[in-house]
Amino acid sequence: MLLQLVCYHLAMALSQQRQEELVRQAMELSAETARDGNVPFAALLVDKDGAVIVAAKNTVNSSHNAAAHAEINLLYEAAQKLKTSNLSGYAVVSNAASCPMCIVALIKAKVTEYYFGAPSEDNMVPNISMEEIVAKTPFPIELHGGILADECAAQIAATAPVNRR
């Protein structure tokens, strides 16, 4: 079983070019959701070849739902589309590191890899890093961060303060 998992991880790795393309797609969705009055976060579910299966954005403000983060919305949409809650074999790509609620949800969904741009914000509540959470789980999820980090952070910084409520 472990050997299969290791082989899968080798097959899953996305090229740097594809990682950047996907993060840019998440940034485009982030800009859309910011125009709707939300904090600019978005997430993509991709298969092992990097094809986008589901895309979702943060809708906390527009839906008046504190849990409507991009990753949570993505999990709802993926479950509906794929008719499963087990997302092993898939990766998530986002313009920013996930908050504790979202990374736990991705772990519970058994997402295999997570690619993100900007690092965690200092004002997360609770302020626990993804790495700390991942270190305490029996389900492996590989974290790949810092993809277009400066661009992602600048986009978030330009819009987030206006849209935080």
Side-chain angles (χ1 to χ4, degrees), residues 1 12-14 18 35 38 44 49-50 55 59 76 86 90 95 107 111 113 138 141 144 147 152 159 165:
M1 180 88 167
M12 185 71 185
L14 300 173
R18 187 63 182 143
R35 285 190 293 273
N38 297 293
L44 312 171
D49 298 317
T59 58
Y76 284 127
N86 183 340
Y90 292 93
N95 62 311
I107 290 167
V111 169
E113 294 195 43
I141 182 170
H144 307 273
I147 305 159
C152 292
T159 313
R165 295 185 184 160

Side-chain angles (χ1 to χ4, degrees), residues 72-89:
I72 302 300
N73 291 338
L74 181 87
L75 293 176
Y76 284 127
E77 291 180 37
Q80 294 300 307
K81 181 172 185 170
L82 300 172
K83 306 293 185 219
T84 184
S85 61
N86 183 340
L87 299 179
S88 58

Side-chain angles (χ1 to χ4, degrees), residues 67-129:
H69 292 201
E71 299 91 331
I72 302 300
N73 291 338
L74 181 87
L75 293 176
Y76 284 127
E77 291 180 37
Q80 294 300 307
K81 181 172 185 170
L82 300 172
K83 306 293 185 219
T84 184
S85 61
N86 183 340
L87 299 179
S88 58
Y90 292 93
V92 169
V93 179
S94 179
N95 62 311
S98 289
C99 73
M101 173 182 71
C102 291
I103 194 64
V104 168
L106 295 176
I107 290 167
K108 287 181 174 281
K110 297 181 178 65
V111 169
T112 307
E113 294 195 43
Y114 184 64
Y115 297 86
F116 62 96
S120 296
E121 296 179 293
D122 292 334
N123 62 351
M124 282 194 314
V125 177
N127 195 358
I128 302 168
S129 74

Side-chain angles (χ1 to χ4, degrees), residues 2-43:
L2 181 59
L3 181 59
Q4 290 173 340
L5 182 61
V6 171
C7 290
Y8 168 75
H9 281 307
L10 291 175
M12 185 71 185
L14 300 173
S15 71
Q16 181 176 346
Q17 178 181 349
R18 187 63 182 143
Q19 291 174 35
E20 290 178 1
E21 291 168 354
L22 291 166
V23 168
R24 286 195 193 286
Q25 284 184 32
M27 290 175 71
E28 289 171 18
L29 276 175
S30 297
E32 285 178 26
T33 201
R35 285 190 293 273
D36 294 336
N38 297 293
V39 180
F41 298 117

